[in-house]
Amino acid sequence: MAPPAGKRVKGVQIYRPFVYGTTARPFDEKTNPKPPGIPDDHTHSWTVFVKGIDDVDITYWLRRVQFKLHESIPNHVRMVDGEKGKPFMIHETGWGEFEITMKLYYVPESNEKPQTLYHHLRLHPYGRNEEEKEAMRTSPEVKSWVYEEQIFNEPYDAFYDILTSGATAPSLKSSGGQKTGGKSKDSGQPQRSEGGVLERSAMIPLHNRPGHPFSRDTEEVEMKKLKEAMVKVEEMKKKMLADIKEKEKRLMDLKADAAKAVGAGS
């Protein structure tokens, strides 16, 4: 790690959303044929990745990712350097599920130590209930994706400048194939793409779209589930307290009956 440049910006916390996980597809002659040279016992192709929310660039804060795969896989420890606008990604094939270790290395200006994530490779449908499992069984892919937020607490001033250098609209292609800026002709300010986010920001999409399952809509659904769960927990708590009071009363009555029996016998 390079020596600190400048001072930390006290009292400041900056976060950036990102996604990591795996996507697996079973081999199938029509939809996902097995490439030549793949071992006979390999049943799936799969990908492990770390990428920006809505596929925006994150290489301005994340420099490199080390993926540690199962030891039975050749070259099981792999380093992927960041390329602007591209995810940190590895493609593989196999037959079994296992835990993948991902070590995140930040840009030199951050002066932050690497952080480690752990993720279980899923090859087969799973879910919290049968409904979720069934929905996954009907999909051609098994996705195990996680939304995460990288928090930089009191970043060094040079890194703070990078993180707060201003949100820019994701690069768009004009009809001629040239990349154009995302600024509005009227205001001169970067605009949010439809359902998307601005690069170098903490934004998340407003709505779900194919390939982008994390959004404000998702957040609202999860909040609703949490509220419903809290209501159920409160109901269970009230019932449990009522049961405890009833049992305590019964215990007191039994003790009283026992005391009377002892007194009558004497």
Side-chain angles (χ1 to χ4, degrees), residues 44 46 78 108 121 128 163 168 241 265:
H44 291 71
W46 54 267
R78 305 181 192 181
L121 168 65
R128 292 170 289 188
L163 292 172
T168 59
L241 289 174

Side-chain angles (χ1 to χ4, degrees), residues 185-242:
K185 293 181 180 178
D186 299 326
S187 64
Q189 297 298 318
Q191 297 297 305
R192 185 171 184 154
S193 62
E194 182 179 357
V197 303
L198 296 179
E199 290 182 352
R200 299 203 177 201
S201 76
M203 294 180 177
I204 65 174
L206 295 175
H207 308 290
N208 290 352
R209 308 194 317 284
H212 302 280
F214 303 106
S215 67
R216 293 297 178 192
D217 288 344
T218 308
E219 189 176 58
E220 290 180 4
V221 170
E222 291 301 316
M223 288 297 293
K224 183 180 178 181
K225 289 180 180 179
L226 286 173
K227 289 179 180 178
E228 292 173 350
M230 289 176 67
V231 171
K232 288 183 179 180
V233 168
E234 192 62 30
E235 292 175 351
M236 293 172 62
K237 179 181 175 183
K238 290 179 180 179
K239 185 179 182 301
M240 186 179 295
L241 289 174

Side-chain angles (χ1 to χ4, degrees), residues 1-9 108-111 155-160:
M1 183 183 298
K7 300 179 179 179
R8 288 190 177 274
V9 182
E109 293 85 352
S110 72
N111 240 282
Y156 285 100
D157 49 10
F159 189 44
Y160 174 83

Side-chain angles (χ1 to χ4, degrees), residues 1 5 30 48 58 60 71 91 123 147 174 183 251 257:
M1 183 183 298
K30 294 181 179 179
V48 58
I58 58 174
Y60 66 96
E71 293 181 356
H91 301 282
L123 300 183
Y147 171 89
S174 66
K183 294 186 177 180
L251 178 61
D257 291 344

Side-chain angles (χ1 to χ4, degrees), residues 13-140:
Q13 192 176 73
I14 296 177
Y15 76 91
R16 291 291 179 263
F18 69 101
V19 181
Y20 69 91
T22 56
T23 301
R25 298 181 64 194
F27 284 124
D28 180 88
E29 292 184 1
K30 294 181 179 179
T31 60
N32 187 30
K34 182 181 293 187
I38 299 300
D40 293 338
D41 60 349
H42 284 201
T43 58
H44 291 71
S45 61
W46 54 267
T47 301
V48 58
F49 66 86
V50 176
K51 65 178 183 177
I53 192 77
D54 211 32
D55 291 332
V56 297
D57 178 63
I58 58 174
T59 58
Y60 66 96
W61 61 264
L62 185 60
R63 175 172 62 101
R64 168 182 300 158
V65 177
Q66 181 193 76
F67 295 92
K68 187 175 181 181
L69 312 177
H70 194 273
E71 293 181 356
S72 63
I73 299 175
N75 187 26
H76 71 283
V77 178
R78 305 181 192 181
M79 197 74 78
V80 178
D81 290 322
E83 294 185 53
K84 183 174 174 58
K86 296 182 179 181
F88 299 82
M89 184 178 294
I90 285 179
H91 301 282
E92 262 298 344
T93 65
W95 57 267
E97 299 181 347
F98 58 90
E99 186 177 70
I100 299 174
T101 303
M102 292 170 275
K103 184 175 287 188
L104 309 184
Y105 293 85
Y106 306 105
V107 296
E109 293 85 352
S110 72
N111 240 282
E112 300 289 349
K113 296 180 180 179
Q115 300 294 322
T116 302
L117 301 173
Y118 300 92
H119 187 76
H120 189 78
L121 168 65
R122 296 278 190 175
L123 300 183
H124 308 287
Y126 68 98
R128 292 170 289 188
N129 51 54
E130 284 302 318
E131 183 180 352
E132 291 184 358
K133 290 181 181 179
E134 185 59 31
M136 195 166 286
R137 289 189 189 101
T138 60
S139 173

